[in-house]
Amino acid sequence: MSRLDKVLTVDEMKACARRRVPKQFFDYADSGSWTESTYRANRADFEKILLRQRIARSLEDRSLATAIAGQDVAMPVALSPTGLTGMQCADGEIKAARAAASAGVPFTLSTMSICSIEDVAANSSRPFWFQLYVMRDRKFIERLIDRAKAAKCPVLVLTMDLQILGQRHKDIRNGLSAPPKFTPRFLFEIARKPQWAFEMLGTKRRSFGNIVGHVDNAGDLASLSAWTANQFDLTLNWKDVAWIKNRFGGPVIVKGVLDPEDAKLALAHGADGIIVSNHGGRQLDGARSSISALPAIVEAVGDKTEVYVDGGVASGQDVLKAIALGAKAAFIGRAFLWGLGAGGEAGVARVLDILRRELDVTMALCGERDIRKVGPHNLDLGGTWPRIGSMRETTPLAAADIRTR
Ligand code: GLV
């Protein structure tokens, strides 16, 4: 049995990543903003949702296959865009894209990735999605969109909840930077994590690959917070969706929607899909969890567009709960980053395999054979869960809160 085969859960993968990834990069992924209350709520609210067990139904010929954004996928899971992925392990974006391609699910490359769009396109077999942050330098953004088009990215994910950065205390305390600064503390860290350092020495990709060499006056790119503060466009608004769509010429999915009114606005301005997200609890600390925001957004726009969710997805059971509440797919961020940190491409493959197996058996135990038939009827509505529209306290979930679509 290989080291990774012994890892049975996403949480065990996290523990494994913690042992192998330098603290500043492990913490970067693990952080929420300020008190991290929304980060914690993302996981905690999944746990409050109860599944409805059904028995004595044929469980033969089960299928997790579905389609998202017009693309056939092996299961309703996709990899979220995450910054600095290539710092969890060398060439991390390429490794994650390959693992996603083998598992038959989409990989989304972040603007703030270490490997560039061209690097990932040249080293992976399946088209990947590209995530866009809009910066002040419009010419650069236009070129970035063109580069995603040239790399044949079929979908653009437009993140609209991060024009200004929620403070993550750990990053400040750790002096996060890419490439890392060779301080005595960092040298001590890599002495304890030699595999990470050895692999990192073997790659040229150690800074923001989509930006370095593509933008004039890049400024202090070593610091994500400094870069964001100087370069991200504070004027970004709904009207921008039109020119971005026009330039890209393919589906544009808006990420960062947590409010039904914003979901309607996104749709009215041309969004081709919506990712319900609070940026993994990394932006507005005190906002509700993504999963508790999902039902009201599905109710507002779910009959007109595909709605996806990210934030706190750490098991196949979580994926099933998201689908039952009306999401077409659940996106994973930290879960795949921990796989990368723990074991590179094989680690991500293992995480996707864990989720697939958990999802398959969970679906069966709910009495379903086809993921496309999973819906609110698979939830135990007599359970406890934060009521839609209420604050985050736990109150009984009324059947009426979750409409059957
Ligand atoms: C970037 O997307 C971040 O949350 O750090």
Side-chain angles (χ1 to χ4, degrees):
M1 213 190 211
S2 81
R3 179 177 64 85
L4 288 170
D5 286 339
K6 291 190 191 132
V7 176
L8 299 184
T9 67
V10 166
D11 282 334
E12 286 174 16
M13 198 64 89
K14 175 179 181 179
C16 195
R18 190 193 290 275
R19 289 194 292 273
R20 297 169 76 92
V21 178
K23 183 170 163 39
Q24 63 169 292
F25 299 118
F26 178 84
D27 280 355
Y28 168 71
D30 196 34
S31 293
S33 53
W34 292 290
T35 69
E36 301 192 330
S37 72
T38 298
Y39 172 32
R40 289 190 298 276
N42 277 346
R43 278 292 288 269
D45 283 356
F46 263 112
E47 283 168 19
K48 291 173 192 157
I49 303 170
L50 299 185
L51 293 170
R52 183 172 170 212
Q53 174 175 302
R54 301 302 305 273
I55 56 171
R57 295 178 164 210
S58 169
L59 301 177
E60 273 185 331
D61 301 327
R62 295 185 306 284
S63 168
L64 297 177
T66 182
I68 57 175
Q71 193 174 322
D72 289 334
V73 292
M75 63 177 166
V77 170
L79 275 57
S80 272
T82 52
L84 281 77
T85 302
M87 284 291 143
Q88 301 298 324
C89 73
D91 303 332
E93 290 88 357
I94 292 172
K95 291 173 180 165
R98 284 187 178 158
S102 302
V105 299
F107 167 75
T108 316
L109 183 73
S110 166
T111 293
M112 302 308 288
S113 59
I114 301 296
C115 302
S116 68
I117 301 175
E118 293 77 12
D119 273 343
V120 179
N123 289 287
S124 63
S125 59
R126 207 180 137 117
F128 56 93
W129 299 8
F130 183 67
Q131 173 268 345
L132 184 72
Y133 278 128
V134 179
M135 298 170 196
R136 293 176 212 256
D137 182 347
R138 280 288 153 99
K139 289 274 168 281
F140 167 63
I141 294 305
E142 285 171 7
R143 286 198 303 274
L144 198 56
I145 296 173
D146 294 348
R147 288 167 62 197
K149 255 165 77 170
K152 301 201 168 23
C153 297
V155 174
L156 192 74
V157 173
L158 173 62
T159 300
M160 295 192 79
D161 64 355
L162 191 151
Q163 294 314 110
I164 191 166
L165 203 69
Q167 179 163 304
R168 299 103 190 231
H169 299 322
K170 289 177 207 152
D171 294 349
I172 297 174
R173 294 200 176 105
N174 290 332
L176 173 77
S177 73
K181 297 194 178 82
F182 280 86
T183 59
R185 187 160 55 140
F186 183 65
L187 291 172
F188 174 71
E189 264 291 294
I190 55 176
R192 293 164 59 229
K193 286 146 181 173
Q195 181 77 19
W196 181 94
F198 181 73
E199 288 178 9
M200 213 42 98
L201 283 175
T203 182
K204 293 187 297 293
R205 304 176 183 107
R206 291 194 287 262
S207 190
F208 294 99
N210 290 325
I211 294 164
V212 174
H214 294 275
V215 69
D216 303 329
N217 307 320
D220 182 10
L221 247 182
S223 156
L224 182 64
S225 54
W227 168 260
T228 312
N230 292 331
Q231 306 291 336
F232 280 36
D233 185 357
L234 294 179
T235 71
L236 178 73
N237 65 79
W238 292 118
K239 291 200 196 101
D240 290 309
V241 178
W243 71 260
I244 291 167
K245 257 187 84 121
N246 196 32
R247 186 97 195 178
F248 182 63
V252 172
I253 292 173
V254 169
K255 175 169 178 286
V257 176
L258 210 59
D259 188 283
E261 285 309 308
D262 280 340
K264 288 185 200 158
L265 284 165
L267 218 63
H269 287 86
D272 298 294
I274 280 168
I275 306 182
V276 176
S277 173
N278 50 33
H279 215 100
R282 299 161 73 76
Q283 286 295 96
L284 180 61
D285 183 38
R288 64 164 52 245
S289 66
S290 305
I291 193 64
S292 72
L294 176 67
I297 292 176
V298 168
E299 190 173 318
V301 298
D303 54 344
K304 298 181 199 75
T305 195
E306 289 188 358
V307 178
Y308 319 105
V309 68
D310 82 357
V313 177
S315 67
Q317 300 87 293
D318 292 344
V319 176
L320 193 110
K321 289 170 183 178
I323 303 302
L325 287 172
K328 280 290 284 183
F331 280 64
I332 53 166
R334 295 180 179 95
F336 94 80
L337 292 178
W338 293 329
L340 266 185
E345 182 177 340
V348 180
R350 180 74 185 144
V351 164
L352 290 169
D353 194 48
I354 289 169
L355 293 181
R356 187 183 54 75
R357 287 165 192 261
E358 288 173 344
L359 178 59
D360 176 47
V361 175
T362 302
M363 179 176 78
L365 294 173
C366 286
E368 298 290 346
R369 294 192 298 176
D370 181 349
I371 196 74
R372 289 166 305 179
K373 303 245 166 71
V374 167
H377 60 279
N378 296 115
L379 299 177
D380 179 347
L381 300 181
T384 56
W385 195 56
R387 205 181 161 88
I388 289 107
S390 79
M391 298 299 287
R392 201 181 288 137
E393 77 273 0
T394 303
T395 53
L397 178 68
D401 283 338
I402 299 175
R403 302 261 164 87
T404 311
R405 291 202 290 132

